[in-house]
Amino acid sequence: MDILDFIRNEGIPKWPYPIEYGEETEDSSDVVIIGGGLAGCCAAIHAARRGASVTVIEKGSTKRSGSAGPGIDHWEFAVTNPCSSTTPDEMVEIMGKGDIFEAEHLLYVALNESFDTLLEFEEMGLKIRDTDDDFKDAPFRDEKSKLLFAYDYDGKLCLRIFGAGLKPALYKEMKRLGVKIYDRVMGTSLLTEKGEQGRRVIGATGYNVRTGRFYIFNAKATVIATAKPVRLWEFGSEKVGSASCFQDVNCTGEGHAMAWKAGAKFVLMERNIPYMGSMSYPPFSTGNSRTTWFPCNMVDAHGKPLPWGGRYGQPLEGGVHARTHCGEGQKFLYQRVQDPAYALYGYMPDLPERIRNGEFRLPFYADLPSMPDEERDVIFGMMVGNESKTRTPVFRKLTQAGFNPDKDMLQANIDSPEGSGINTPIAPPSNSPNIRDASFLCGGPMIGWEMKTNLEGLFIAGNQTGTGCAAIAATTGRYCGRSVAKYVKDKDFINPYRPQIDEEKERIYAPLKNDGGKGWKEVQIGLCRVMQDYCGQYKSEEILKTGLWWLNSIRENEIKNLSVNNPHELARVLECDTRVTVGEIIMHNSLARKTSCPQLDFKRLDNSEVKAAEEESFITVQQADGKIMSEEVPLGYWLMGDFEPTLAENYKKYSCFEDSNNGLGGNSK
């Protein structure tokens, strides 16, 4: 029965869960991990394997939560696999030249541990090899190991995996190890020694999004692994549902907000990129030739093949074989490397001009039928079917509707000449430069080699940091789990400060006192408009300060007057408050960066100065005693001060492999 018919006939259904507003549950563990996605699960497993008692709290359902919950089709940074053409040290040097703000210490962890992490997943039951010989003798398969490679069939640095079952495998392992898991519980605040900002973090509070129950988690150490916030500039759930962002829609910024209020330092929060928001398509549901669909043939509206180009813009002949193999003098090709000597191939740089003059006609189509059989099958079947949200809404739905990749082409979304065939895997770039996105390579709490923040007892894992992808989430989670297990061995519990708990409970349940106020969606839309208007592509002192005034006004007026009907709506109100805080962090970090920075896509209207790359620095912001503090931190701070002078020395010193139970180190090659 249609839900509207049900309501007309039966009335609004009763809330299906018990209402437990204000009731408390207390929990005590050596380590509490906020966020049960890929990073949080890996941190929990490795902390538990080293003897720590662990509690995980997750706003969704841990078995399928997080951006990796639906699945993963490719696995990056696997440079220690037995077929690889390079090493972690060589790779990090090449990648570091492309992005001066790259968190090289986190990248180095990923490069050393990515393949070993996959081997652990295999031990847990995840299929990472072509054990059924579906792709026997394919050019992207290594016959000895049965590993499948993506993008570059010579360098062999990125693997194709059957990743739809990853989160259930991790969940099963956590249960085996005795990790306590609290599903449907969102973190709301960090508990600190004596309730004071800047003191040691001694746990967290939580709220059950189904029952409204309040949770108090006491711990020797706390790990935040809630990834970066999404949908700050454009919400759009009514239009395209979860396709309004590529990441998990539950990633609303609680980890950022909690750490900020506790006094943590943040970095790179001024970095954000254009995004389409509610104009997005379900990920990888349109024809293209990028990432999951690489290296698919593309044709124009008249069936004319689109021209591919070599590393320096010369025509690339030879079809799929040429796109997936290194040219003369090339050691490998990689999608996250900007240096043309190593970057993946793409279309001819003059394609936009040739579209404008009519040589190529929109719309474009992914020409799967013209692909070699094994390439067609691995794209639409293995890749589209295991990556992120593609398994049901894309692969199954299209197949059920009659789509046959052996004979059918799939249209690409129609975009500008500059974007057509280039920015099409998920959505075209935004028509408004003021609609942005703060996920992926954008900012978060500042951490060093031990995954610690500036706050004693607070650790960070995964895409909460200033970098991102599944491999980085898993490897930094794994690494953080070892680090935090070592930390808690000589630490004692500190009892939570009851007035701090009572203050948080008052904040959480305040909307229950309101009657007939606005709903949370109206406020959410207003928050997005503030971010669009006052923290868009171009910024200035006046614009940003006005934006901060608006955010504070919404918190002190609209949010305080919101009313709710059930625990779910109260959770959405709390998310609105979280987004206000995250918006403030972004604006404060933007105010602290006084000059424009092309590398961050950061543009100031009130200062025309642009620093040379070698003169740039990180800008940190921090809240302390009601004031906003900022400082410049040198690029490469992870090799300065108390740290060792090389990446390899630091990794050896801080990776905690001496405590490992499974014997897997950082290089299985």
Side-chain angles (χ1 to χ4, degrees):
M1 179 184 292
D2 182 90
I3 184 63
L4 294 178
D5 290 336
F6 181 89
I7 292 173
R8 291 187 191 102
N9 297 329
E10 307 292 337
I12 298 175
K14 293 181 180 179
W15 188 247
Y17 308 102
I19 301 296
E20 300 173 337
Y21 292 135
E23 296 184 30
E24 294 183 0
T25 293
E26 296 186 13
D27 179 273
S28 181
S29 293
D30 292 335
V31 181
V32 61
I33 298 173
I34 305 169
L38 183 53
C41 289
C42 288
I45 288 168
H46 278 265
R49 285 179 178 177
R50 284 154 184 79
S53 58
V54 181
T55 294
V56 171
I57 67 174
E58 164 58 43
K59 186 161 59 172
S61 173
T62 304
K63 194 172 184 178
R64 280 294 185 185
S65 64
S67 297
I72 300 170
D73 70 347
H74 67 280
W75 193 260
E76 295 192 56
F77 305 124
V79 300
T80 64
N81 82 78
C83 306
S84 167
S85 64
T86 189
T87 65
D89 291 272
E90 182 179 17
M91 191 71 173
V92 75
E93 182 179 355
I94 292 169
M95 294 190 69
K97 294 177 181 178
D99 182 1
I100 62 173
F101 294 99
E102 179 77 67
E104 287 185 337
H105 57 316
L106 305 181
L107 179 60
Y108 196 71
V109 170
L111 290 167
N112 276 277
E113 301 193 23
S114 177
F115 185 63
D116 288 337
T117 303
L118 270 187
L119 295 179
E120 284 191 348
F121 292 166
E122 187 176 37
E123 291 176 358
M124 297 177 202
L126 183 71
K127 183 178 177 181
I128 70 167
R129 307 169 195 266
D130 182 28
T131 52
D132 295 327
D133 292 333
D134 292 328
F135 299 99
K136 185 175 176 57
D137 297 325
F140 47 79
R141 177 175 129 141
D142 174 63
E143 294 303 318
K144 181 178 180 181
S145 65
K146 298 191 177 185
L147 294 172
L148 304 179
F149 296 94
Y151 313 132
D152 171 14
Y153 301 168
D154 290 333
K156 297 181 171 59
L157 308 181
C158 185
L159 279 77
R160 288 173 162 127
I161 65 171
F162 303 82
L166 175 55
K167 281 302 301 296
L170 294 175
Y171 181 81
K172 182 178 179 181
E173 178 66 5
M174 286 195 294
K175 298 294 285 187
R176 186 188 72 82
L177 291 169
V179 174
K180 289 181 285 186
I181 300 172
Y182 289 83
D183 281 342
R184 312 296 178 184
V185 175
M186 65 188 296
T188 67
S189 73
L190 295 177
L191 298 173
T192 57
E193 188 174 1
K194 297 183 179 179
E196 297 176 2
Q197 188 181 63
R199 298 290 294 271
R200 177 182 163 187
V201 175
I202 58 173
T205 61
Y207 167 82
N208 190 296
V209 301
R210 287 182 168 174
T211 68
R213 176 175 284 269
F214 186 81
Y215 291 78
I216 303 166
F217 299 98
N218 188 204
K220 297 177 182 178
T222 301
V223 177
I224 295 180
T226 58
K228 299 184 184 71
V230 298
R231 302 195 295 177
L232 292 173
W233 281 263
E234 220 276 357
F235 199 72
S237 60
E238 277 77 6
K239 297 180 180 179
V240 289
S242 67
S244 58
C245 64
F246 181 65
Q247 293 78 15
D248 184 355
V249 293
N250 278 314
C251 298
T252 54
E254 283 88 7
H256 278 35
M258 287 186 284
W260 174 258
K261 292 176 182 178
K265 288 184 179 180
F266 279 73
V267 67
L268 288 181
M269 291 298 290
E270 72 275 31
R271 183 182 217 173
N272 44 75
I273 59 175
Y275 197 64
M276 201 58 173
S278 63
M279 294 300 291
S280 299
Y281 298 86
F284 305 107
S285 66
T286 59
N288 64 87
S289 59
R290 294 291 177 264
T291 59
T292 287
W293 284 74
F294 188 89
C296 190
N297 294 334
M298 297 289 292
V299 298
D300 77 350
H302 295 173
K304 187 175 183 178
L306 298 190
W308 286 67
R311 50 181 162 169
Y312 299 111
Q314 73 277 21
L316 183 68
E317 306 295 341
V320 172
H321 181 275
R323 299 168 205 163
T324 55
H325 288 79
C326 296
E328 184 178 353
Q330 286 181 300
K331 190 172 184 179
F332 62 82
L333 306 170
Y334 204 70
Q335 63 175 344
R336 287 186 55 167
V337 174
Q338 299 179 23
D339 187 335
Y342 301 95
L344 286 183
Y345 300 125
Y347 298 119
M348 287 290 289
D350 63 351
L351 178 60
E353 179 183 347
R354 295 164 74 175
I355 295 172
R356 291 188 186 280
N357 67 28
E359 182 180 350
F360 293 95
R361 301 293 183 91
L362 296 173
F364 294 157
Y365 294 85
D367 187 7
L368 284 169
S370 69
M371 296 288 288
D373 291 347
E374 66 275 3
E375 295 286 352
R376 178 172 60 251
D377 292 343
V378 81
I379 290 174
F380 197 85
M382 180 182 175
M383 303 287 275
V384 179
N386 279 285
E387 169 65 5
S388 184
K389 304 168 185 176
T390 64
R391 194 172 191 84
T392 295
V394 181
F395 180 72
R396 287 179 180 171
K397 289 295 184 182
L398 286 177
T399 301
Q400 290 168 0
F403 178 77
N404 184 348
D406 293 342
K407 62 180 181 179
D408 297 326
M409 292 191 285
L410 192 63
Q411 183 181 313
N413 45 284
I414 301 174
D415 195 8
S416 66
E418 288 73 22
S420 291
I422 300 172
N423 296 306
T424 55
I426 302 171
S430 172
N431 289 325
S432 170
N434 285 346
I435 297 180
R436 317 287 289 178
D437 178 64
S439 59
F440 196 53
L441 294 178
C442 304
M446 182 179 178
I447 58 173
W449 279 96
E450 295 172 280
M451 303 292 162
K452 288 182 181 179
T453 68
N454 59 297
L455 300 179
E456 182 71 14
L458 181 62
F459 295 71
I460 303 294
N463 295 341
Q464 191 84 37
T465 61
T467 188
C469 79
I472 287 178
T475 54
T476 59
R478 180 180 190 254
Y479 182 103
C480 181
R482 302 195 302 266
S483 182
V484 74
K486 182 176 183 179
Y487 171 85
V488 300
K489 284 183 177 179
D490 60 354
K491 293 293 185 294
D492 296 323
F493 286 98
I494 297 177
N495 292 328
Y497 186 61
R498 188 67 211 191
Q500 185 181 34
I501 294 172
D502 293 338
E503 182 179 349
E504 179 65 3
K505 288 187 72 174
E506 174 64 25
R507 182 186 76 88
I508 288 174
Y509 296 115
L512 299 177
K513 301 175 184 178
N514 300 331
D515 184 23
K518 294 183 180 69
W520 66 272
K521 287 188 179 181
E522 289 87 346
V523 172
Q524 177 58 63
I525 292 170
L527 288 173
C528 288
R529 175 59 70 182
V530 170
M531 293 300 292
Q532 291 170 23
D533 287 349
Y534 302 101
C535 199
Q537 183 178 28
Y538 292 96
K539 303 171 180 71
S540 71
E541 193 91 1
E542 291 83 0
I543 292 173
L544 291 165
K545 287 183 176 179
T546 304
L548 285 169
W549 180 90
W550 269 112
L551 290 177
N552 183 66
S553 176
I554 291 174
R555 172 185 281 125
E556 295 301 318
N557 295 283
E558 279 75 12
I559 289 181
K560 284 189 175 181
N561 290 311
L562 290 177
S563 62
V564 301
N565 296 305
N566 53 57
H568 169 87
E569 291 186 2
L570 182 51
R572 303 292 83 80
V573 170
L574 295 175
E575 288 176 346
C576 287
D577 190 57
T578 290
R579 286 191 167 101
V580 169
T581 300
V582 176
E584 289 173 334
I585 304 171
I586 293 171
M587 290 187 187
H588 284 306
N589 217 155
S590 298
L591 281 167
R593 183 169 288 280
K594 302 300 183 182
T595 59
S596 296
C597 181
Q599 294 93 338
L600 300 177
D601 195 23
F602 182 80
K603 302 173 182 178
R604 288 198 66 132
L605 291 169
D606 51 358
N607 191 339
S608 59
E609 180 185 358
V610 176
K611 293 182 178 179
E614 61 271 14
E615 297 176 350
E616 274 293 0
S617 61
F618 291 106
I619 308 292
T620 69
V621 288
Q622 174 187 11
Q623 183 179 239
D625 299 324
K627 298 180 180 180
I628 305 300
M629 304 171 62
S630 66
E631 65 175 333
E632 291 192 18
V633 176
L635 300 179
Y637 68 84
W638 44 83
L639 299 179
M640 301 177 184
D642 294 334
F643 295 129
E644 304 300 324
T646 70
L647 294 169
E649 288 175 296
N650 282 293
Y651 181 70
K652 181 178 180 180
K653 180 177 180 179
Y654 294 107
S655 58
C656 302
F657 279 124
E658 69 276 8
D659 301 322
S660 176
N661 292 329
N662 58 22
L664 288 177
N667 194 333
S668 58
K669 199 170 180 179

